[in-house]
Amino acid sequence: MSQIGPEPVSNASQPSDDHHLSRQLNLRDLVLSQVLTVVGSSWVGLAAGLGHAQTLVWLGSFAVFYAPMAVAVYYLNREMPLEGGLYVWARRAFGDTAGFLTAWNIWAYGLFVIAFLLFQLPSEFSFMIGPSAAWIPDNHYVVLPTLAILLTALALTAVRGLALGKWIHNISGTAMMMAFALLIVAPFWAYFHHLPIHYTPFELHLPKHDPTSLALIGQIIFAAAGLEYIAIMAGESKAPSRDIGRSIIIASPIIVVMFILGTASVLAFHELTHSTINYIAPIPQTLRLAFGDNAFGTFFARLIIFLLQIRILGAASFIFTGVTRLPMTAGWDHLIPEWFARLHPRYRTPTNSVLFSSIFIAMLIVLGSAGAHAAQAFNLLNNASSEFYALAYLAMFAIPILGVKLLRKRIPLWVAALSAVGFLATLFNFLLNAYPFDTGTQPLPFAIKILAVTLLVNIVGYGFYRLRNKPSSLTPDN
C-alpha cells in the first residue's frame, strides 16, 4: 500500500514507462488538444453579456487565472511529467488522501461534462436542420438510442487508444479554430458591405456593479481552464517534459485571440441588431445576424453548428480519455482496486476503467432524461461540476506554496507567488459559481444546493477512499 503523506519527488518519467503505455502525442497533437479543451463556444456569449467591459474582464481573467494556471502547469509538469497529471502532482505534494480527492473531483467533473456535452448534440442538430427537426430533442425514442451509440463510440475509441483518438481531437480542435475564424472575420465582412457596425475589441470599460455582472465575471474567470488536462496523458506523450510546456506557449496566444476577438464580434452584431444574446449558441446566432436570414446566412450558420458539433464530439472524446486514465493511475498506486488499472494487451489502454466510466455516464444520461425531477437532479449535479474542478485547481495552486519541501525548492519563488494569485482567483470563482447568473433563479436556495452537492460528492469520495484504505493499516497523514 502506498504511504500516506508527502513523498520524494522524482524528475523522471520512468514510472509511466514501466507500464509500457503507447506514446502517441507529439507537439502538434498537444497544441490542438489545448485549444479543444480550453475554448468553448458559449463563453463568448457570456462575456458579451458584459458589454464593452468584456475586453477588460478577459484581460483580468487572463492575468489572475490563466497566467498562473499556465505557469503552474508548465513547472509542475516539468518536474513530474507522469501519467495522471494533476492527480500525481497533488499526491506527491500532499500525500495519498489529497491526491485521491483531487483525482475524484476531476473524475466527477469529467463525467458530468461528458454527459452534458452529449445532451447538447440533439439540440444542436435540430437547430442546424431548422424548424422541421424541432421535435428531436424531446423525443426519447430518438435521443436515448443516439446517445447510446455515441457513448459506445467514445468507449471503443478510448479502448483503441490515442493512435485513433488523437486524430479525432486534432480534427475537432481544427474545427473549433475554423468556427472562430469565421466569427472573427464577420465584422470585416460587415465593414466591406458598409454596415454601420461598431466593432471595438480593445475598448477598456469597467463592468457594471450589479449581481448579474458579478456572476458573469465569475464565469469568465474560469472560462479558460483546462491547460492541465493534457498532462493526465503525459505518459502517452512522446516528450512530455518538453512538449507539454511548449504546447502551452504556442496555444496561449491563439486562445487569447479567439476569446477576445470572438466576444467582440458577438457583441458588435448584437448591438447592431439590438437582439438578445443566445448564451447557449452565440456563434451560430451571431453569424446568422452577420450574413442575414437568407440562404447565404443560413448556410454559414449551419456550417458553424456542424463544426461545433464536431468540436463537442472531440471534446467529449478528449475528456473521456482523461476520465479513464485517472482510475488507472490511482490503481497503479493501489488507492483503488487494481482492476481499474488492467490494460488491453495490444492497445495498452485501461479497458476496465473505460467500461466503468461508460456505465456511470450512461446512468447520468438516463437520470437527465427520466422525468422532470430527475432532470432537475441532473442539472443540479451538472451545475455543481464546476465546483469539483475548482477544488482540483485549488489543490494545484497550493502545490508551489504548501507542497512537500523538496518540490517547493525546485520551483522558483515567483511561480509560488503567481500561484497564490491563481489560488485566490479560483477561490473567488468557487464562491461565485454558487451564484446564478440568470435573474430568474433565487440566489440563496441555489447556493445552498450547489455547495451541499459539492460537499456530499466529496464526502462520498472520501468515504470510498477510507473503505479501501483503512487507517489502521496506514500511517497517518503528515
Side-chain angles (χ1 to χ4, degrees):
M1 183 64 63
S2 297
Q3 177 183 326
I4 296 279
E7 304 164 27
V9 178
S10 171
N11 193 39
S13 58
Q14 189 61 38
S16 291
D17 293 335
D18 289 343
H19 297 279
H20 305 291
L21 296 174
S22 178
R23 293 188 177 270
Q24 295 287 339
L25 302 177
N26 59 28
L27 181 59
R28 176 204 58 205
D29 305 324
L30 297 172
V31 170
L32 289 172
S33 293
Q34 297 286 28
V35 174
L36 173 65
T37 189
V38 172
V39 182
S41 61
S42 63
W43 296 120
V44 292
L46 291 172
L50 293 164
H52 291 278
Q54 66 93 6
T55 304
L56 186 62
V57 172
W58 273 125
L59 292 176
S61 70
F62 292 139
V64 302
F65 178 79
Y66 187 88
M69 171 186 62
V71 170
V73 173
Y74 182 94
Y75 278 92
L76 291 172
N77 176 78
R78 191 180 68 171
E79 295 300 323
M80 297 171 281
L82 305 171
E83 188 82 357
L86 180 50
Y87 153 68
V88 176
W89 306 343
R91 177 174 173 267
R92 293 196 168 205
F94 300 118
D96 287 355
T97 304
F100 175 84
L101 288 176
T102 300
W104 176 266
N105 278 282
I106 299 172
W107 185 74
Y109 162 80
L111 292 177
F112 286 109
V113 166
I114 294 166
F116 180 73
L117 287 173
L118 292 178
F119 263 122
Q120 281 185 290
L121 285 171
S123 296
E124 294 275 353
F125 180 78
S126 66
F127 191 34
M128 181 178 70
I129 298 301
S132 62
W135 58 274
I136 291 177
D138 296 323
N139 191 315
H140 290 173
Y141 296 104
V142 173
V143 170
L144 289 180
T146 301
L147 296 186
I149 293 171
L150 291 174
L151 181 57
T152 302
L154 289 180
L156 292 175
T157 301
V159 170
R160 180 61 181 84
L162 288 169
L164 171 62
K166 69 176 184 180
W167 293 109
I168 297 173
H169 309 155
N170 289 351
I171 291 170
S172 302
T174 303
M176 194 61 171
M177 293 172 68
M178 290 173 60
F180 267 78
L182 285 172
L183 178 66
I184 290 169
V185 301
F188 300 98
W189 184 92
Y191 280 134
F192 182 77
H193 287 81
H194 308 291
L195 294 178
I197 191 170
H198 183 62
Y199 177 66
T200 53
F202 303 113
E203 281 186 326
L204 300 177
H205 294 276
L206 291 174
K208 296 178 182 177
H209 299 85
D210 58 69
T212 300
S213 294
L214 188 62
L216 285 171
I217 290 171
Q219 295 280 324
I220 298 307
I221 286 175
F222 213 56
L227 282 180
E228 88 301 330
Y229 203 87
I230 191 64
I232 295 175
M233 291 155 262
E236 295 161 270
S237 303
K238 293 181 179 180
S241 60
R242 180 193 66 195
D243 284 350
I244 289 179
R246 287 183 178 179
S247 74
I248 294 172
I249 294 171
I250 296 171
S252 290
I254 298 172
I255 290 167
V256 171
V257 167
M258 290 173 72
F259 274 134
I260 292 180
L261 298 189
T263 303
S265 292
V266 173
L267 180 61
F269 282 104
H270 282 82
E271 287 187 337
L272 175 65
T273 58
H274 304 288
S275 55
T276 302
I277 299 171
N278 184 332
Y279 288 138
I280 297 174
I283 299 179
Q285 181 198 31
T286 299
L287 290 182
R288 192 179 290 273
L289 294 174
F291 299 117
D293 193 12
N294 49 40
F296 188 63
T298 299
F299 168 78
F300 271 104
R302 289 179 175 177
L303 173 62
I304 290 298
I305 295 172
F306 177 70
L307 292 174
L308 293 179
Q309 284 182 310
I310 294 175
R311 184 263 169 186
I312 289 172
L313 285 172
S317 172
F318 181 74
I319 296 171
F320 189 86
T321 302
V323 158
T324 61
R325 270 43 174 189
L326 290 169
M328 176 186 73
T329 50
W332 289 343
D333 295 327
H334 308 291
L335 300 185
I336 62 175
E338 200 171 348
W339 180 85
F340 288 95
R342 294 177 187 171
L343 301 179
H344 191 283
R346 179 180 177 186
Y347 302 128
R348 310 306 296 166
T349 53
T351 51
N352 291 339
S353 181
V354 169
L355 175 62
F356 183 80
S357 299
S358 300
I359 293 172
F360 212 105
I361 294 168
M363 292 169 58
L364 290 175
I365 290 173
V366 171
L367 177 66
S369 306
H373 292 295
Q376 290 175 2
F378 174 82
N379 289 332
L380 179 61
L381 288 166
N382 184 65
N383 288 335
S385 66
S386 295
E387 301 290 64
F388 306 151
Y389 207 20
L391 288 174
Y393 267 97
L394 288 174
M396 184 184 78
F397 286 127
I399 294 172
I401 307 168
L402 302 171
V404 63
K405 187 175 182 180
L406 178 60
L407 176 59
R408 283 188 280 117
K409 282 185 174 181
R410 299 175 67 94
I411 296 177
L413 184 61
W414 69 270
V415 176
L418 200 57
S419 294
V421 175
F423 185 93
L424 293 175
T426 304
L427 183 61
F428 176 72
N429 174 265
F430 179 84
L431 297 174
L432 280 186
N433 272 342
Y435 188 93
F437 68 85
D438 59 292
T439 56
T441 304
Q442 292 295 322
L444 184 58
F446 181 85
I448 292 173
K449 289 178 182 178
I450 293 297
L451 295 176
V453 168
T454 304
L455 179 62
L456 178 61
V457 168
N458 277 273
I459 289 174
V460 171
Y462 183 77
F464 173 77
Y465 171 80
R466 278 306 183 195
L467 285 175
R468 170 70 183 174
N469 304 275
K470 294 181 180 179
S472 59
S473 63
L474 299 172
T475 58
D477 285 0
N478 291 340

